Amino acid sequence: MKKPKKHKELSAEKMKRYLNNHLSYRERHFIESNALNNAFQRDALDGFEENPEVVWHNVKLDLHRRLAQRLYKEKHQFMLLTLRRWAAIFILLFTASTLYWFLEQQQREKISEVAEASPLSEKDTMSRDAAMSFSTDTLNATISAKSFQESSSRLAISAKKDAWSAFVRQHLRYPPEALAQKVEGIVKLRFQTDKDGKAFNIEIVQSLDESCHREAIRLVRAYTWDKNQQREEEIVFQLPR
Amino acid sequence: MFLKILRKKALDDHELLEKFRQSDDLFWLGELYEKYIHLVFGVCLKYLKNEEDSKDAVMQIFERIIPYVKQQKIDNFQHWLYVVVKNHCLMVLRSGKSLKHSLDEKKLEEENEYFLVEEDEFLQEEMERNLQTAIALLPEEQRTCVEMFYIQGKCYKEIQIITGYPYNKVKSSIQNGKRNLRTLMTKFQ
C-alpha cells in the first residue's frame, strides 16, 4: 500500500474554499478528480454538499474545543480546577469586601442619625436602638463588624456627651435670680449647628425662667458642637447640695 | 504556536502514530485526528444528516479508535479511519439491532475492498488503450460528463453550465461513468 501523496490530501482550508466557491475551475477539477479516487474525501464532500446549512467554521470550533477538552482532561484537569477555584475565591473576597464597605457606610449613617435623634439619651437606649437595627441584618460577618462599630461609636458618643457635661459643669454660672428663688429643673433647647460647629437658630423647647434659659443659651453658644446638625439639648439646673 | 504548526507539517501519519504509541500521550493521536477531522465530520454528516449527531459521532469515533491504534499496526491511517467512520455511522443508523462491528483491519478491508485499489493508476494505464472504445459504449449523459471531466479537465460546475444537467446529475454521471468504464475495460482484457 502506498502512502497517500501530500498533494492528494484535502485540507480543511481547501475544502472550505471548494464549498464556498472560492476556487477556480481548474482547482475544482483537481479536487474533484482526487475525491473520485478517495472515498473518504468523496463522502466528506458529499456530506457537506448535501447539508449546506452546516457551517464548517462553527463545527470546527466546537469540535476543536471538545477534542482539546478530551485531550487535556487528564493532564490539566487539576490545574484548571485550581485556576477556577482561585477565580472563585477572588470573586468571593471582592464581593465580601464591597459588601462590608457598603454596610459599614450605612452603619455610620445610621449611628449618626441615632446620635442626632437622641444625643443625650441613656446609654442603654442607644444600644437598644443600635441592637434593633443590627438584628435586621442577617450576615454573620457583618454583625461582628457592626458590633465593633457599635461599641466604638457608643464610646465616641458618650465621650462627646461627657465633654458637653464637663463643659456645662465647668462653665455653668447659676443665675443669681434663680439661685435666690431656688429655681431647679431642666431647660431644653433646640438648635442647629453651622459648618464651624457653632449653634444658631436656637429655640427654647422647655424653659424654667428667663435667667435660666439665657444661661443655657449662653452655654450652647459657647460650646463647639459637631458640624451641620439639628440638635436638642437639656441643661439641668440643680442647686448645689 | 508557530513551532506547533511547523511540527504538525513535518510529521506524517506514521510518525504521529509512532509518537503516540511510544509516549502514550493522547496529544499525538489528537494531532493526527485533527488532520482528518473535517473529513470525518463530513462523512458522518453524509450518513447521519444532522450536525449535532455528527459532532457527537466525531467524538465517539475518537474514543473508539484509541485502544485499536495502540494495539494494531495501521498501514494507511486515512483509509483505516474512513472505514471506522463509515462503520460507526452505519452502526448508529442501525442502532437498535445489536451489531458487533469489529475494528479488525483485515476484515474491514475485505468489506471495502474497492477502496484499496489504486483507482487512479489503474485508470491511467488502461485508459490509453481502450479508452475511446469504452467511452463510446457509455450511456449518453455519462459519456458527455466523463469526456468533459477527464479529457477536457473541466470541473463539475463547468459541466453543469455547459450541459445544463443538474449538479448532482453531473456528479453521479461521472462517478457511475467511471465505475462503468472500469468494468468495461476489465472485460476487454
PDB file of all heavy atoms in Angstrom, chain B residues 4-17:
ATOM      1  N   LYS B   4       4.404  24.844  16.735  1.00  0.00           N
ATOM      2  CA  LYS B   4       3.399  23.791  16.669  1.00  0.00           C
ATOM      3  C   LYS B   4       3.010  23.536  15.212  1.00  0.00           C
ATOM      4  O   LYS B   4       2.901  22.396  14.774  1.00  0.00           O
ATOM      5  CB  LYS B   4       2.168  24.222  17.476  1.00  0.00           C
ATOM      6  CG  LYS B   4       1.272  23.076  17.859  1.00  0.00           C
ATOM      7  CD  LYS B   4       0.114  23.590  18.670  1.00  0.00           C
ATOM      8  CE  LYS B   4      -1.019  22.604  18.645  1.00  0.00           C
ATOM      9  NZ  LYS B   4      -2.228  23.140  19.245  1.00  0.00           N
ATOM     10  N   ILE B   5       2.827  24.613  14.461  1.00  0.00           N
ATOM     11  CA  ILE B   5       2.449  24.483  13.056  1.00  0.00           C
ATOM     12  C   ILE B   5       3.558  23.768  12.286  1.00  0.00           C
ATOM     13  O   ILE B   5       3.302  22.853  11.513  1.00  0.00           O
ATOM     14  CB  ILE B   5       2.166  25.866  12.434  1.00  0.00           C
ATOM     15  CG1 ILE B   5       0.910  26.461  13.070  1.00  0.00           C
ATOM     16  CG2 ILE B   5       1.999  25.769  10.932  1.00  0.00           C
ATOM     17  CD1 ILE B   5       0.732  27.924  12.810  1.00  0.00           C
ATOM     18  N   LEU B   6       4.781  24.193  12.535  1.00  0.00           N
ATOM     19  CA  LEU B   6       5.922  23.573  11.856  1.00  0.00           C
ATOM     20  C   LEU B   6       5.967  22.082  12.135  1.00  0.00           C
ATOM     21  O   LEU B   6       6.147  21.269  11.244  1.00  0.00           O
ATOM     22  CB  LEU B   6       7.227  24.211  12.337  1.00  0.00           C
ATOM     23  CG  LEU B   6       7.633  25.498  11.631  1.00  0.00           C
ATOM     24  CD1 LEU B   6       8.911  26.029  12.226  1.00  0.00           C
ATOM     25  CD2 LEU B   6       7.798  25.258  10.137  1.00  0.00           C
ATOM     26  N   ARG B   7       5.784  21.750  13.412  1.00  0.00           N
ATOM     27  CA  ARG B   7       5.874  20.363  13.808  1.00  0.00           C
ATOM     28  C   ARG B   7       4.751  19.555  13.152  1.00  0.00           C
ATOM     29  O   ARG B   7       4.954  18.452  12.670  1.00  0.00           O
ATOM     30  CB  ARG B   7       5.749  20.271  15.323  1.00  0.00           C
ATOM     31  CG  ARG B   7       6.212  18.945  15.896  1.00  0.00           C
ATOM     32  CD  ARG B   7       6.302  19.058  17.381  1.00  0.00           C
ATOM     33  NE  ARG B   7       5.030  19.478  17.931  1.00  0.00           N
ATOM     34  CZ  ARG B   7       4.914  20.067  19.110  1.00  0.00           C
ATOM     35  NH1 ARG B   7       5.954  20.351  19.822  1.00  0.00           N
ATOM     36  NH2 ARG B   7       3.727  20.394  19.570  1.00  0.00           N
ATOM     37  N   LYS B   8       3.585  20.160  13.123  1.00  0.00           N
ATOM     38  CA  LYS B   8       2.433  19.493  12.550  1.00  0.00           C
ATOM     39  C   LYS B   8       2.694  19.153  11.083  1.00  0.00           C
ATOM     40  O   LYS B   8       2.357  18.087  10.614  1.00  0.00           O
ATOM     41  CB  LYS B   8       1.231  20.441  12.633  1.00  0.00           C
ATOM     42  CG  LYS B   8      -0.058  19.753  13.016  1.00  0.00           C
ATOM     43  CD  LYS B   8      -1.111  20.815  13.204  1.00  0.00           C
ATOM     44  CE  LYS B   8      -2.428  20.220  13.602  1.00  0.00           C
ATOM     45  NZ  LYS B   8      -3.403  21.239  13.933  1.00  0.00           N
ATOM     46  N   LYS B   9       3.302  20.104  10.384  1.00  0.00           N
ATOM     47  CA  LYS B   9       3.547  19.891   8.969  1.00  0.00           C
ATOM     48  C   LYS B   9       4.644  18.857   8.755  1.00  0.00           C
ATOM     49  O   LYS B   9       4.612  18.123   7.782  1.00  0.00           O
ATOM     50  CB  LYS B   9       3.944  21.217   8.317  1.00  0.00           C
ATOM     51  CG  LYS B   9       2.727  22.044   7.961  1.00  0.00           C
ATOM     52  CD  LYS B   9       3.117  23.248   7.144  1.00  0.00           C
ATOM     53  CE  LYS B   9       1.890  24.023   6.724  1.00  0.00           C
ATOM     54  NZ  LYS B   9       2.246  25.333   6.171  1.00  0.00           N
ATOM     55  N   ALA B  10       5.575  18.848   9.664  1.00  0.00           N
ATOM     56  CA  ALA B  10       6.730  17.994   9.459  1.00  0.00           C
ATOM     57  C   ALA B  10       6.399  16.510   9.661  1.00  0.00           C
ATOM     58  O   ALA B  10       7.012  15.657   9.044  1.00  0.00           O
ATOM     59  CB  ALA B  10       7.838  18.401  10.408  1.00  0.00           C
ATOM     60  N   LEU B  11       5.441  16.212  10.518  1.00  0.00           N
ATOM     61  CA  LEU B  11       5.178  14.814  10.842  1.00  0.00           C
ATOM     62  C   LEU B  11       4.059  14.240   9.973  1.00  0.00           C
ATOM     63  O   LEU B  11       3.019  14.859   9.816  1.00  0.00           O
ATOM     64  CB  LEU B  11       4.761  14.694  12.313  1.00  0.00           C
ATOM     65  CG  LEU B  11       5.851  15.041  13.326  1.00  0.00           C
ATOM     66  CD1 LEU B  11       5.290  14.980  14.733  1.00  0.00           C
ATOM     67  CD2 LEU B  11       7.032  14.100  13.196  1.00  0.00           C
ATOM     68  N   ASP B  12       4.303  13.061   9.411  1.00  0.00           N
ATOM     69  CA  ASP B  12       3.217  12.420   8.673  1.00  0.00           C
ATOM     70  C   ASP B  12       2.469  11.447   9.577  1.00  0.00           C
ATOM     71  O   ASP B  12       2.796  11.308  10.756  1.00  0.00           O
ATOM     72  CB  ASP B  12       3.733  11.762   7.378  1.00  0.00           C
ATOM     73  CG  ASP B  12       4.612  10.569   7.678  1.00  0.00           C
ATOM     74  OD1 ASP B  12       4.572  10.081   8.827  1.00  0.00           O
ATOM     75  OD2 ASP B  12       5.338  10.124   6.776  1.00  0.00           O
ATOM     76  N   ASP B  13       1.490  10.777   9.009  1.00  0.00           N
ATOM     77  CA  ASP B  13       0.623   9.921   9.817  1.00  0.00           C
ATOM     78  C   ASP B  13       1.402   8.872  10.598  1.00  0.00           C
ATOM     79  O   ASP B  13       1.146   8.641  11.775  1.00  0.00           O
ATOM     80  CB  ASP B  13      -0.398   9.217   8.912  1.00  0.00           C
ATOM     81  CG  ASP B  13      -1.339  10.215   8.265  1.00  0.00           C
ATOM     82  OD1 ASP B  13      -1.140  11.421   8.494  1.00  0.00           O
ATOM     83  OD2 ASP B  13      -2.255   9.784   7.549  1.00  0.00           O
ATOM     84  N   HIS B  14       2.371   8.271   9.913  1.00  0.00           N
ATOM     85  CA  HIS B  14       3.115   7.187  10.567  1.00  0.00           C
ATOM     86  C   HIS B  14       3.910   7.695  11.757  1.00  0.00           C
ATOM     87  O   HIS B  14       3.939   7.051  12.809  1.00  0.00           O
ATOM     88  CB  HIS B  14       4.064   6.533   9.554  1.00  0.00           C
ATOM     89  CG  HIS B  14       3.350   5.628   8.619  1.00  0.00           C
ATOM     90  ND1 HIS B  14       3.118   4.312   8.895  1.00  0.00           N
ATOM     91  CD2 HIS B  14       2.775   5.863   7.403  1.00  0.00           C
ATOM     92  CE1 HIS B  14       2.450   3.761   7.897  1.00  0.00           C
ATOM     93  NE2 HIS B  14       2.225   4.684   6.975  1.00  0.00           N
ATOM     94  N   GLU B  15       4.525   8.846  11.563  1.00  0.00           N
ATOM     95  CA  GLU B  15       5.335   9.398  12.659  1.00  0.00           C
ATOM     96  C   GLU B  15       4.459   9.765  13.849  1.00  0.00           C
ATOM     97  O   GLU B  15       4.826   9.515  14.998  1.00  0.00           O
ATOM     98  CB  GLU B  15       6.098  10.625  12.154  1.00  0.00           C
ATOM     99  CG  GLU B  15       7.209  10.241  11.201  1.00  0.00           C
ATOM    100  CD  GLU B  15       7.736  11.440  10.424  1.00  0.00           C
ATOM    101  OE1 GLU B  15       6.929  12.314  10.053  1.00  0.00           O
ATOM    102  OE2 GLU B  15       8.930  11.485  10.184  1.00  0.00           O
ATOM    103  N   LEU B  16       3.304  10.335  13.555  1.00  0.00           N
ATOM    104  CA  LEU B  16       2.396  10.704  14.639  1.00  0.00           C
ATOM    105  C   LEU B  16       1.908   9.457  15.381  1.00  0.00           C
ATOM    106  O   LEU B  16       1.859   9.435  16.613  1.00  0.00           O
ATOM    107  CB  LEU B  16       1.191  11.472  14.083  1.00  0.00           C
ATOM    108  CG  LEU B  16       1.467  12.925  13.704  1.00  0.00           C
ATOM    109  CD1 LEU B  16       0.311  13.502  12.912  1.00  0.00           C
ATOM    110  CD2 LEU B  16       1.690  13.772  14.951  1.00  0.00           C
ATOM    111  N   LEU B  17       1.580   8.428  14.635  1.00  0.00           N
ATOM    112  CA  LEU B  17       1.129   7.177  15.252  1.00  0.00           C
ATOM    113  C   LEU B  17       2.229   6.595  16.130  1.00  0.00           C
ATOM    114  O   LEU B  17       1.978   6.137  17.250  1.00  0.00           O
ATOM    115  CB  LEU B  17       0.761   6.158  14.167  1.00  0.00           C
ATOM    116  CG  LEU B  17      -0.639   6.252  13.595  1.00  0.00           C
ATOM    117  CD1 LEU B  17      -0.805   5.250  12.468  1.00  0.00           C
ATOM    118  CD2 LEU B  17      -1.677   6.011  14.679  1.00  0.00           C
TER     119      LEU B  17
END
